[in-house]
Amino acid sequence: MPNGHLVSRASDYIIYSVEAKNIDAVVETFGPSTKLGAIVGGQTSCKAPEITAFEKHLPKDVSIVSCHSLHGPGVDPRGQPLVLIRHRASDADFAFVERALSCLNSKHVYLTRQQHDRITADTQAVTHAAFLSMGAAWSANNQFPWESPRYIGGIENVKINVTLRIYANKWHVYAGLAILNPDAQKQIKQYAESVTELFKLMLAGQREEFSNRIHAAGKAVFKDDRGKDLLLRDEVLDRFSLGTIPEKRLKNNHLSLLAMVDCWWKLGIVPYDHMICSTPLFRMWLGITEYLFRNPALLEECIDTAITDNTFRADDLEFTFAARDWSSRVSLGHFDGYREKFEQIQNYFAPRFPEATRLGNEMIKTILEKTRED
Ligand SMILES: O=C(O)C(=O)C[C@]1(C(=O)O)C=C[C@@H](O)C=C1
């Protein structure tokens, strides 16, 4: 078709696959040409701007049913959550959308747009903030983490593969859901605060306060009955390394993971409550934090390393700067500022994207198959 007007006039079901920041302008242009009685939806990760644009620009006789597949390209959609938002539709129109999307064989999850945005802020936005900060810190230190024995094997592989997976994508996927979702800003800010406060305690060598805070956070998030079976295991994760596994694993204080649990605790978020809407990245992120917090010896080693081992300070300093910088760029709401930082780091890591994406897809597939069996 030469343009969107002709598509809109001829179609019974239209899905706008448009960046969140442009959705209003695009629906304003083509929405009025929608066929009488058609069904319209969108696929963005943040529903507030999308539904607002539909309400504003679509004719009143048009049904609105939006959707959101909670995974990226390269993931098998079978069994993955697919959120359906019945905003304005008859039973027959909604049934039509469900039938059309049933070819994906995903698990349909029914939410309002508000529920959707709240949950995705908890699951996606803060997860991305952590991995984006890791990439920013490695690049600021002029480091390729797979070349350092410190970042190889086990949960370090997840950090690297997921970070590279995110930076290999388009910046607007992450910018849109962080900047346009008001709940997301609050959580990214808390994550940056948790990182900063923990880092200050580490610098001051305040072992008791640091340790008490980590244990209190861990207790709140990983209550006895939750996550009994570790989602992830070393043997599985070791297979997905971009570098050679060293004979003796080097200790890491895992500031990024400690801060995540601290952030969930401060915000009263129980990540397990959101499994129904979890993305592969969120499951891996929760998987590695759970791995750390459900292993008392490893957690103690991590606390000890945080207080006594100075060799990590440069990495942790850059990580703290990075978490704060991402948070302020999101709070300022400037897409250009977000894009500039994202693309600069993207260029730095770009030569390794093909291999990292292949490994990342394999890793996700293996882990998803494993968690499905369980
Ligand atoms: O790469 C993946 O598999 C993802 O999970 C991608 C991801 C995410 O990063 O959370 C990105 C955007 C979509 O809204 C859903 C999922």
Side-chain angles (χ1 to χ4, degrees), residues 28 39 69 90-91 171-173 198 218 259 270 272 291 295 341 351:
E28 184 177 23
I39 307 166
S69 284
S90 64
D91 289 350
W171 66 277
H172 69 77
V173 173
L198 291 179
V270 177
Y272 294 98
Y291 179 92
N295 182 339
K341 186 177 176 92

Side-chain angles (χ1 to χ4, degrees), residues 43-45 68-75 123-124 127-128 165-166 169 173-174 177 279-282 361 364:
Q43 280 189 310
T44 56
S45 320
H68 181 199
S69 284
L70 292 176
H71 57 86
V75 174
T123 52
Q124 293 187 274
T127 303
H128 299 154
R165 182 186 183 84
I166 288 176
N169 276 334
V173 173
Y174 307 101
L177 74 90
T279 61
L281 303 192
F282 175 72
N361 280 341
I364 288 178

